[in-house]
Amino acid sequence: HEFWFVRDDHATPVQQQKLAQDLHKFRGGTLWLEFVYEEQLQKVREAFQTAPTDDDDAALAALTEAISSNGWSHEYNQALVGLLRVAHNHNMSFHALDSKDYSRDAFLEHYGHWGGWEYLNNRTAKADDGRGSTSRWSRRLMAEYAQRPSTAVVLGGALHGPIMRNILSESYGVNMQYMYDTVDDMSKVSQEESHRIRDALASLAAAQPKAAN
């Protein structure tokens, strides 16, 4: 079975639209998405399992609304959610890469002022320690693969591509391929994203209240 990574720039629906056209190639596989959670996806699965399709539309609309606070455009969110219907049509299962326990809101609730910093820092972690986001994603993916071996298609931010590819290779002996990018292109885009996050981390740290002497 194959493991594919699709770079998501979180700004336009271009990648989702390209992937929607190509998902038929991975019939019976598994689609993995970020910024959605299993509790939300389960409602879509339940709707897909019933004969009438009107509840499919309602479930997808409800999911689009549920993720509307993620900061991305409505067009982007619609394209993201629309992939679920395409996946279902090609007999693909779909899963969340992460859980709500590691959402930005969860970090803000747990860490207070430092929540945004901790969240971004967690997403850039490269070690396969089960704590950084890409390490968690990799473990989820491989645990599901152990239960249901099939081709895996991961749609995630560019930053995660090289990290996940490295973790899967070193920890599991798996060769993950980039669907629409060369290794060099992905590395370049990932580094650019890493620099943006590094700048954001510096800004967040500078904005924190100074500790009293």
Side-chain angles (χ1 to χ4, degrees):
H1 296 104
E2 299 172 327
F3 293 78
W4 293 94
F5 188 92
V6 180
R7 174 175 56 84
D8 188 344
D9 65 9
H10 301 149
T12 70
V14 172
Q15 297 293 73
Q16 289 90 337
Q17 292 165 354
K18 288 169 65 176
L19 183 57
Q21 295 296 316
D22 288 333
L23 276 183
H24 68 277
K25 301 175 184 177
F26 312 106
R27 184 174 182 82
T30 306
L31 176 66
W32 292 86
L33 303 174
E34 63 176 330
F35 301 124
V36 294
Y37 304 109
E38 285 297 326
E39 300 89 341
Q40 298 168 328
L41 293 179
Q42 183 57 29
K43 295 178 181 178
V44 177
R45 293 189 193 104
E46 291 170 357
F48 283 166
Q49 288 169 1
T50 60
T53 58
D54 53 346
D55 62 341
D56 296 358
D57 296 337
L60 293 174
L63 178 57
T64 303
E65 176 62 28
I67 66 174
S68 62
S69 61
N70 60 13
W72 319 130
S73 70
H74 181 67
E75 181 186 26
Y76 169 89
N77 287 335
Q78 280 188 315
L80 181 67
V81 171
L83 282 172
L84 300 178
R85 191 195 301 274
V86 180
H88 175 67
N89 289 342
H90 296 303
N91 197 33
M92 295 182 72
S93 62
F94 44 82
H95 288 286
L97 284 163
D98 220 338
S99 73
K100 276 188 175 181
D101 294 339
Y102 296 97
S103 67
R104 186 173 184 275
D105 287 343
F107 272 85
L108 290 171
E109 182 177 347
H110 185 75
Y111 291 103
H113 289 301
W114 283 96
W117 189 93
E118 291 285 354
Y119 172 73
L120 287 179
N121 192 53
N122 185 267
R123 291 185 71 81
T124 61
K126 296 182 178 180
D128 184 19
D129 56 6
R131 294 193 294 270
S133 65
T134 315
S135 177
R136 292 194 305 273
W137 294 9
S138 300
R139 295 185 182 200
R140 274 185 171 236
L141 186 154
M142 296 309 298
E144 174 65 20
Y145 182 80
Q147 296 295 318
R148 182 181 176 274
S150 66
T151 294
V153 179
V154 177
L155 180 65
L159 178 71
H160 302 280
I163 300 175
M164 193 173 205
R165 190 169 185 264
N166 186 60
I167 288 175
L168 292 185
S169 176
E170 293 192 355
S171 298
Y172 302 96
V174 167
N175 178 31
M176 172 170 263
Q177 304 173 73
Y178 300 136
M179 192 173 297
Y180 301 122
D181 293 280
T182 66
V183 171
D184 288 343
D185 287 344
M186 180 66 82
S187 178
K188 179 181 178 182
V189 176
S190 178
Q191 288 177 5
E192 291 171 352
E193 180 66 13
S194 179
H195 292 156
R196 283 194 290 270
I197 292 180
R198 184 185 62 191
D199 291 343
L201 284 168
S203 296
L204 286 168
Q208 298 310 310
K210 298 296 188 293
N213 294 327

